[in-house]
Amino acid sequence: RLGVERLRNLPEVVNGPKLPAGCTLFPWSALKPEERADLEARIQAEDSEIPPELSPFLEAPGLEPAADVSVGLRSGGKVLGWQIGHRLDPKTVQYTALYMDASLRRGIATYAVRTECVRRQIAAGVPEQAFEFKPDNETLLHYMQQVARPYITHWSEVRRSGKSLGA
């Protein structure tokens, strides 16, 4: 868990995040129908670089989508990144999908998307963030280890396993 109040006075939260040239941020609720169709096709493609579990269209059972804090990133007329949140409770947003195109992954784009989500979360009066991610999600793991660590209030690990009981 991460308390966003501790981030309120960071310059990029106060002034807005810096973006790579040609990139713009947008509220996820403003995703255009043609962008949605393009993303769905890219996600379903056999050679997709977007892991299915990072699809921005996955529903989180029992969780309310947090449209007021979910953000996308466009460049060259294409959606190349997003962070999608769901409400765990009135005080907490759980970010369930963070994805950034490989061409932007190691630069400031991921940080810009995360920062904009923090700005929107503060404006919405939601004080806590929670994250659930696989350890092979390099984008979010890098962010958590390199940027967010000083602001984390609680870190726990959950391990899951499963077995198919099918025919």
Side-chain angles (χ1 to χ4, degrees):
R1 286 193 181 253
L2 191 150
V4 295
E5 192 59 37
R6 300 175 74 186
L7 305 174
R8 179 182 291 279
N9 296 318
L10 292 176
E12 56 273 24
V13 172
V14 173
N15 301 318
K18 294 179 182 175
L19 288 167
C23 292
T24 58
L25 296 173
F26 66 96
W28 193 251
S29 58
L31 182 72
K32 300 172 188 171
E34 60 272 18
E35 290 173 324
R36 182 183 177 103
D38 176 64
L39 274 176
E40 287 174 334
R42 286 168 45 206
I43 292 166
Q44 293 171 7
E46 265 187 54
D47 61 346
S48 180
E49 291 184 14
I50 304 169
E53 65 271 11
L54 297 182
S55 168
F57 309 118
L58 292 178
E59 295 296 321
L63 297 180
E64 171 191 341
D68 53 346
V69 299
S70 297
V71 172
L73 179 135
R74 290 184 182 109
S75 181
K78 196 171 186 178
V79 176
L80 296 180
W82 55 82
Q83 180 160 292
I84 306 300
H86 292 84
R87 294 284 170 107
L88 285 179
D89 57 53
K91 294 182 178 184
T92 310
V93 170
Q94 176 173 303
Y95 288 100
T96 52
L98 172 63
Y99 175 79
M100 190 58 60
D101 186 80
S103 66
L104 297 168
R105 205 167 283 156
R106 289 291 179 192
I108 60 172
T110 302
Y111 188 64
V113 168
R114 283 282 314 122
T115 301
E116 185 60 23
C117 288
V118 168
R119 295 179 81 219
R120 290 170 183 268
Q121 191 174 335
I122 289 169
V126 182
E128 294 286 324
Q129 296 180 353
F131 300 89
E132 182 176 315
F133 61 96
K134 291 183 175 184
D136 63 350
N137 181 340
E138 293 177 19
T139 303
L140 190 52
L141 187 59
H142 175 79
Y143 174 81
M144 297 302 282
Q145 290 175 335
Q146 302 300 318
V147 178
R149 186 171 292 285
Y151 307 102
I152 294 173
T153 58
H154 176 76
W155 182 289
S156 63
E157 185 175 320
V158 176
R159 295 179 185 249
R160 295 185 178 146
S161 65
K163 182 177 180 179
S164 176
L165 300 175

